[in-house]
């Protein structure tokens, strides 16, 4: 590096070039100590996007919108986790009374699911009895731990109370808003920390399946919908079965096993904002609709009605 005749400027430039990759690695490793960074970049898209909006509102000093964003992010965190739970429980032939109660609400035209329904699903799976037949590494065990301790349960209850107050036109006094914002964000952060396992489970959309009969494997083209943006590159993965739905959403666990999320959670271009979004079943004005986790847009549900009936949602 320091050849005879090389001047100091050239030597310095070589040091900078050689050390660039090391510096980038060090900076990237340091960011992993920042939990906000992990949520923005490694959590599933619906949660990561909501978290980014919360951070942006808080950093801008928009206290009212920031407070609303915190409560909405908490609901989407529990909503997404409950939808995973319902899909995985159905795949494992585990009956959840909370899902049956959700069906009753949808059929009886009493509105769509809310924080109470999502909480009920997560609380039911937290009981070890429901999970006794599962393998030790099944994702439902970690989902069952999300609200499994007193601190997380208390944080969830405080956030739910604040959400109910907002829905019933009991706003926070402007004088109390700074402390309410900080306290609610602390509760949200606690729940997100308990849900850190979501960063290990990619939400993926399968875009194509090519089966190789001689190798006994399928080559899947997938989109990993992790982080706060829906535009992501297509990658590939191997799978031991061709029984994979093109276009559907899957959860991939740490051992790369795939769990179908349809119809509990689906993904497509939103007809309202033309942005790729995730959707779940809801009821608006007596009509079954698909509602977005990212922005709340909804549209009439038609194609998934039979699938909802088959999984006991309608």
């Amino acid at each position: 590096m320091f050849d005879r005749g090389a001047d100091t400027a050239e030597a310095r430039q070589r040091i900078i070039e050689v050390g660039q990759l090391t510096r980038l690695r060090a900076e990237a490793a340091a960011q992993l100590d920042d939990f906000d960074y992990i949520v923005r970049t490694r959590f599933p898209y619906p949660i990561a996007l909501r978290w980014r909006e919360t951070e942006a509102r808080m950093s801008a000093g928009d206290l009212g919108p920031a407070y609303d964003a915190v409560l909405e992010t908490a609901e989407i965190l529990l909503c997404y986790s409950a939808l995973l739970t319902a899909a995985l429980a159905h795949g494992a032939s585990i009956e959840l009374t909370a899902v049956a109660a959700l069906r009753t609400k949808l059929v009886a035209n009493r509105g769509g699911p809310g924080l109470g329904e999502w909480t009920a699903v997560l609380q039911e799976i937290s009981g070890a009895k429901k999970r006794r037949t599962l393998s030790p590494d099944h994702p439902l065990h970690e989902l069952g731990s999300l609200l499994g301790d007193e601190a997380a349960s208390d944080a969830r209850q405080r956030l739910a109370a604040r959400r109910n107050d907002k829905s019933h036109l009991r706003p926070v006094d402007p004088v109390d808003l700074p402390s309410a914002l900080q306290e609610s964000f602390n509760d949200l952060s606690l729940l997100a920390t308990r849900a850190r396992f979501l960063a290990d489970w990619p939400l993926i959309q399968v875009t194509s399946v090519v089966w190789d009969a001689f190798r006994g494997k399928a080559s899947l083209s997938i989109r990993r919908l992790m982080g706060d943006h829906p535009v992501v590159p297509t990658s590939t993965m191997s799978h031991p079965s061709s029984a994979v739905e093109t276009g559907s959403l899957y959860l991939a666990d740490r051992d790369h096993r795939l769990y179908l999320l349809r119809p509990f959670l689906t993904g497509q271009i939103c007809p309202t904002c033309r942005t790729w979004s995730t959707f779940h079943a809801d009821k608006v004005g007596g009509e079954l609709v698909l509602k977005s986790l990212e922005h709340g847009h909804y549209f009439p549900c038609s194609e998934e009605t039979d699938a909802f009936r088959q999984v006991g949602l309608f």
Side-chain angles (χ1 to χ4, degrees), residues 2 21 38 59 66 68 95 98 109 117 129 143 174 191 209 211 217 230 237 278 280 305:
F2 296 101
L21 183 57
I38 293 176
S59 64
D68 293 344
E95 293 187 6
N109 288 331
E117 285 72 31
K129 184 177 180 180
L143 284 163
L191 291 181
V209 180
W211 175 250
K217 290 183 179 181
M237 67 176 290
T278 55
H280 69 86
T305 303

Side-chain angles (χ1 to χ4, degrees), residues 196-310:
R196 187 190 289 261
F197 52 79
L198 294 176
D200 289 337
W201 299 345
L203 171 65
I204 68 172
Q205 181 184 39
V206 176
T207 57
S208 73
V209 180
V210 178
W211 175 250
D212 188 328
F214 292 101
R215 297 177 59 214
K217 290 183 179 181
S219 177
L220 310 183
S221 294
I222 63 172
R223 299 173 63 236
R224 294 178 182 271
L225 298 157
M226 306 296 280
D228 59 15
H229 202 286
V231 180
V232 294
T234 298
S235 57
T236 60
M237 67 176 290
S238 295
H239 190 62
S241 170
S242 61
V244 181
E245 297 182 357
T246 301
S248 290
L249 294 180
Y250 286 82
L251 178 143
D253 69 10
R254 296 183 183 91
D255 295 318
H256 308 295
R257 290 178 295 232
L258 299 183
Y259 301 85
L260 178 64
L261 302 182
R262 188 180 72 88
F264 296 94
L265 189 66
T266 60
Q268 66 178 77
I269 300 296
C270 175
T272 302
C273 65
R274 304 297 189 271
T275 302
W276 191 95
S277 309
T278 55
F279 294 88
H280 69 86
D282 202 347
K283 206 71 173 286
V284 177
E287 182 180 29
L288 185 65
V289 301
L290 292 178
K291 181 180 177 182
S292 168
L293 278 71
E294 290 81 11
H295 39 64
H297 296 160
Y298 61 88
F299 60 93
C301 172
S302 56
E303 296 181 1
E304 292 288 349
T305 303
D306 289 339
F308 288 142
R309 290 194 178 95
Q310 291 181 26

Side-chain angles (χ1 to χ4, degrees), residues 25-133:
R25 286 173 174 167
E27 291 176 4
Q31 286 181 310
L32 292 177
D33 292 327
D34 179 2
F35 184 66
D36 293 336
Y37 174 82
I38 293 176
V39 178
R40 287 195 313 273
T41 62
R42 300 302 305 162
F43 268 47
Y45 171 60
I47 301 171
L49 179 67
R50 292 280 188 168
W51 189 276
R52 184 188 69 178
E53 181 180 354
T54 296
E55 283 192 317
R57 296 287 189 184
M58 292 181 68
S59 64
D62 298 332
L63 298 185
Y67 181 72
D68 293 344
V70 168
L71 300 183
E72 291 170 4
T73 302
E75 181 164 352
I76 295 305
L77 172 63
L78 297 180
C79 169
Y80 180 84
S81 300
L83 290 169
L84 289 189
T85 299
L88 295 177
H90 176 75
S93 299
I94 297 174
E95 293 187 6
L96 297 179
T97 58
V99 174
L102 174 56
R103 176 188 179 277
T104 300
K105 184 175 183 180
L106 289 171
V107 172
N109 288 331
R110 297 203 306 268
L115 196 54
E117 285 72 31
W118 307 134
T119 299
V121 171
L122 293 170
Q123 288 177 331
E124 185 171 359
I125 202 62
S126 67
K129 184 177 180 180
K130 288 289 183 180
R131 297 179 275 111
R132 68 184 184 279
T133 61

Side-chain angles (χ1 to χ4, degrees), residues 161-175:
R162 293 182 186 277
R163 186 76 165 145
N164 288 338
D165 285 343
K166 181 178 180 296
S167 299
H168 292 88
L169 303 180
R170 295 190 292 265
V172 178
D173 189 282
V175 175

